Amino acid sequence: MKEKDFALDDLIWDDFNLPLEEEIEPADCLTLDEIKAELATRIGELNKLGYSISIDHVVRYDIRDNKETTAGIQPVGEHKYLFVISKYAARKKNEKYFDMIFYHELCHILQIEY
């Protein structure tokens, strides 16, 4: 792929078709600190495999009130990313999906970094 084929400011937004239709209360969702902890845990596991990324690469977070999509990553600078997640995907009851959601988005960072 040529360098010009990929714009580094494009949002990589994913839809995993999770059950997003039911209503939720704020207490049902991960807090920002919990989201950061989920990312940090998985970043640690990726680094054990030989990658070199840091939680400091994610410099901004956006928790969206969006039922159509799940999560995304957007480059906002060199080695700097915005992490976006739908509050419907960030429900604590979706814990069984967290590996898929968080690793998938981190792999977009790896895709860009490597």
Side-chain angles (χ1 to χ4, degrees):
M1 173 167 52
K2 296 178 187 172
E3 190 172 316
K4 293 181 181 181
D5 292 342
F6 183 74
L8 288 181
D9 61 349
D10 287 347
L11 175 65
I12 301 169
W13 188 250
D14 295 302
D15 180 1
F16 293 108
N17 297 319
L18 291 175
L20 302 176
E21 294 304 316
E22 62 193 51
E23 293 304 314
I24 58 174
E25 299 294 325
D28 297 335
C29 299
L30 296 176
T31 65
L32 180 57
D33 286 339
E34 290 170 325
I35 290 169
K36 289 178 180 181
E38 294 287 346
L39 280 172
T41 297
R42 286 159 181 88
I43 286 171
E45 291 299 314
L46 289 171
N47 287 339
K48 287 179 187 176
L49 296 173
Y51 295 102
S52 180
I53 60 174
S54 167
I55 191 64
D56 294 334
H57 283 114
V58 182
V59 296
R60 292 180 24 216
Y61 295 83
D62 186 6
I63 302 171
R64 296 191 179 176
D65 186 16
N66 184 324
K67 292 183 180 181
E68 289 80 43
T69 51
T70 305
I73 286 288
Q74 181 175 359
V76 294
E78 188 173 349
H79 311 292
K80 303 293 181 197
Y81 300 90
L82 162 67
F83 178 80
V84 181
I85 191 165
S86 164
K87 72 178 185 179
Y88 294 89
R91 292 180 294 181
K92 293 173 184 173
K93 73 180 256 180
N94 286 338
E95 183 178 13
K96 64 185 174 187
Y97 299 113
F98 287 169
D99 274 347
M100 177 181 65
I101 293 168
F102 289 101
Y103 279 124
H104 182 96
E105 298 313 324
L106 289 170
C107 284
H108 286 305
I109 291 176
L110 293 176
Q111 175 186 20
I112 294 166
E113 293 289 316
Y114 287 86

Short mmCIF file of all heavy atoms in Angstrom, two decimals, residues 69-91:
data_model
loop_
_atom_site.label_atom_id
_atom_site.label_comp_id
_atom_site.label_asym_id
_atom_site.label_seq_id
_atom_site.Cartn_x
_atom_site.Cartn_y
_atom_site.Cartn_z
N THR A 69 -22.99 1.89 16.19
CA THR A 69 -21.63 1.40 16.08
C THR A 69 -21.06 1.13 17.47
O THR A 69 -21.65 1.51 18.46
CB THR A 69 -20.75 2.40 15.33
OG1 THR A 69 -20.90 3.67 15.92
CG2 THR A 69 -21.11 2.48 13.87
N THR A 70 -19.93 0.49 17.51
CA THR A 70 -19.39 0.01 18.77
C THR A 70 -18.19 0.81 19.27
O THR A 70 -18.23 1.36 20.35
CB THR A 70 -18.98 -1.48 18.63
OG1 THR A 70 -20.12 -2.19 18.17
CG2 THR A 70 -18.53 -2.04 19.95
N ALA A 71 -17.13 0.86 18.48
CA ALA A 71 -15.90 1.49 18.94
C ALA A 71 -15.07 1.93 17.75
O ALA A 71 -15.32 1.52 16.62
CB ALA A 71 -15.10 0.52 19.81
N GLY A 72 -14.06 2.76 18.02
CA GLY A 72 -13.20 3.23 16.95
C GLY A 72 -11.93 3.84 17.47
O GLY A 72 -11.80 4.14 18.65
N ILE A 73 -10.99 4.00 16.56
CA ILE A 73 -9.70 4.64 16.83
C ILE A 73 -9.50 5.71 15.76
O ILE A 73 -9.79 5.48 14.59
CB ILE A 73 -8.55 3.62 16.75
CG1 ILE A 73 -8.55 2.70 17.96
CG2 ILE A 73 -7.20 4.28 16.57
CD1 ILE A 73 -8.10 3.34 19.25
N GLN A 74 -9.02 6.86 16.17
CA GLN A 74 -8.70 7.90 15.20
C GLN A 74 -7.34 8.51 15.54
O GLN A 74 -7.12 8.95 16.67
CB GLN A 74 -9.75 9.01 15.21
CG GLN A 74 -9.46 10.10 14.21
CD GLN A 74 -10.57 11.13 14.15
OE1 GLN A 74 -11.56 11.04 14.84
NE2 GLN A 74 -10.38 12.12 13.32
N PRO A 75 -6.42 8.51 14.59
CA PRO A 75 -5.16 9.21 14.81
C PRO A 75 -5.41 10.70 14.98
O PRO A 75 -6.19 11.30 14.22
CB PRO A 75 -4.36 8.93 13.53
CG PRO A 75 -5.01 7.74 12.91
CD PRO A 75 -6.45 7.84 13.28
N VAL A 76 -4.77 11.31 15.98
CA VAL A 76 -4.91 12.75 16.21
C VAL A 76 -3.55 13.44 16.22
O VAL A 76 -3.47 14.64 16.47
CB VAL A 76 -5.70 13.05 17.51
CG1 VAL A 76 -7.14 12.58 17.38
CG2 VAL A 76 -5.04 12.43 18.73
N GLY A 77 -2.52 12.69 15.96
CA GLY A 77 -1.16 13.20 15.92
C GLY A 77 -0.22 12.02 15.75
O GLY A 77 -0.65 10.87 15.72
N GLU A 78 1.06 12.31 15.66
CA GLU A 78 2.03 11.23 15.51
C GLU A 78 2.08 10.40 16.79
O GLU A 78 2.37 10.93 17.87
CB GLU A 78 3.42 11.79 15.18
CG GLU A 78 4.41 10.71 14.84
CD GLU A 78 5.74 11.26 14.34
OE1 GLU A 78 5.83 12.47 14.07
OE2 GLU A 78 6.67 10.46 14.23
N HIS A 79 1.74 9.13 16.69
CA HIS A 79 1.69 8.20 17.82
C HIS A 79 0.66 8.62 18.86
O HIS A 79 0.81 8.27 20.05
CB HIS A 79 3.07 8.03 18.47
CG HIS A 79 4.18 7.76 17.51
ND1 HIS A 79 4.25 6.57 16.79
CD2 HIS A 79 5.23 8.52 17.11
CE1 HIS A 79 5.33 6.63 16.02
NE2 HIS A 79 5.93 7.79 16.19
N LYS A 80 -0.37 9.33 18.45
CA LYS A 80 -1.42 9.81 19.36
C LYS A 80 -2.78 9.47 18.77
O LYS A 80 -3.02 9.68 17.58
CB LYS A 80 -1.32 11.32 19.58
CG LYS A 80 0.02 11.80 20.11
CD LYS A 80 0.27 11.30 21.51
CE LYS A 80 1.61 11.81 22.02
NZ LYS A 80 2.07 11.08 23.17
N TYR A 81 -3.68 8.95 19.64
CA TYR A 81 -4.96 8.44 19.15
C TYR A 81 -6.12 8.86 20.04
O TYR A 81 -5.97 9.02 21.25
CB TYR A 81 -4.92 6.90 19.07
CG TYR A 81 -3.85 6.43 18.14
CD1 TYR A 81 -2.57 6.18 18.60
CD2 TYR A 81 -4.09 6.29 16.78
CE1 TYR A 81 -1.56 5.78 17.74
CE2 TYR A 81 -3.10 5.90 15.91
CZ TYR A 81 -1.84 5.65 16.39
OH TYR A 81 -0.84 5.27 15.53
N LEU A 82 -7.26 8.97 19.39
CA LEU A 82 -8.55 9.13 20.06
C LEU A 82 -9.18 7.74 20.12
O LEU A 82 -9.24 7.05 19.10
CB LEU A 82 -9.45 10.07 19.25
CG LEU A 82 -10.95 10.05 19.54
CD1 LEU A 82 -11.25 10.58 20.93
CD2 LEU A 82 -11.70 10.84 18.48
N PHE A 83 -9.64 7.32 21.30
CA PHE A 83 -10.37 6.07 21.46
C PHE A 83 -11.83 6.43 21.64
O PHE A 83 -12.19 7.20 22.53
CB PHE A 83 -9.86 5.28 22.67
CG PHE A 83 -10.61 4.00 22.91
CD1 PHE A 83 -10.31 2.87 22.17
CD2 PHE A 83 -11.63 3.94 23.84
CE1 PHE A 83 -11.01 1.69 22.38
CE2 PHE A 83 -12.34 2.77 24.05
CZ PHE A 83 -12.02 1.64 23.32
N VAL A 84 -12.67 5.87 20.79
CA VAL A 84 -14.10 6.13 20.82
C VAL A 84 -14.82 4.83 21.14
O VAL A 84 -14.47 3.77 20.60
CB VAL A 84 -14.59 6.65 19.44
CG1 VAL A 84 -16.08 6.93 19.48
CG2 VAL A 84 -13.82 7.87 19.01
N ILE A 85 -15.81 4.90 22.03
CA ILE A 85 -16.62 3.73 22.33
C ILE A 85 -18.06 4.17 22.59
O ILE A 85 -18.29 5.24 23.16
CB ILE A 85 -16.06 2.92 23.52
CG1 ILE A 85 -16.76 1.56 23.64
CG2 ILE A 85 -16.11 3.72 24.81
CD1 ILE A 85 -16.03 0.57 24.54
N SER A 86 -18.98 3.39 22.13
CA SER A 86 -20.39 3.63 22.41
C SER A 86 -20.68 3.22 23.85
O SER A 86 -20.20 2.17 24.31
CB SER A 86 -21.26 2.80 21.47
OG SER A 86 -22.59 2.74 21.94
N LYS A 87 -21.45 4.01 24.56
CA LYS A 87 -21.79 3.64 25.93
C LYS A 87 -22.59 2.33 25.95
O LYS A 87 -22.54 1.60 26.93
CB LYS A 87 -22.55 4.75 26.64
CG LYS A 87 -23.96 4.98 26.18
CD LYS A 87 -24.62 6.08 27.00
CE LYS A 87 -26.07 6.24 26.63
NZ LYS A 87 -26.71 7.27 27.43
N TYR A 88 -23.24 2.00 24.86
CA TYR A 88 -23.98 0.75 24.78
C TYR A 88 -23.03 -0.45 24.69
O TYR A 88 -23.31 -1.51 25.21
CB TYR A 88 -24.95 0.77 23.60
CG TYR A 88 -26.04 1.79 23.80
CD1 TYR A 88 -25.87 3.11 23.39
CD2 TYR A 88 -27.22 1.45 24.44
CE1 TYR A 88 -26.85 4.05 23.61
CE2 TYR A 88 -28.22 2.40 24.66
CZ TYR A 88 -28.03 3.70 24.25
OH TYR A 88 -28.99 4.64 24.48
N ALA A 89 -21.91 -0.26 24.04
CA ALA A 89 -20.89 -1.31 23.98
C ALA A 89 -20.12 -1.40 25.29
O ALA A 89 -19.64 -2.46 25.66
CB ALA A 89 -19.94 -1.06 22.83
N ALA A 90 -20.01 -0.27 25.99
CA ALA A 90 -19.24 -0.20 27.24
C ALA A 90 -20.07 -0.60 28.45
O ALA A 90 -19.69 -0.29 29.58
CB ALA A 90 -18.67 1.21 27.41
N ARG A 91 -21.17 -1.29 28.22
CA ARG A 91 -21.97 -1.78 29.35
C ARG A 91 -21.21 -2.89 30.06
O ARG A 91 -20.61 -3.74 29.43
CB ARG A 91 -23.31 -2.33 28.87
CG ARG A 91 -24.24 -1.28 28.33
CD ARG A 91 -25.52 -1.89 27.89
NE ARG A 91 -25.24 -2.77 26.74
CZ ARG A 91 -26.17 -3.44 26.09
NH1 ARG A 91 -27.42 -3.38 26.47
NH2 ARG A 91 -25.86 -4.19 25.08
#
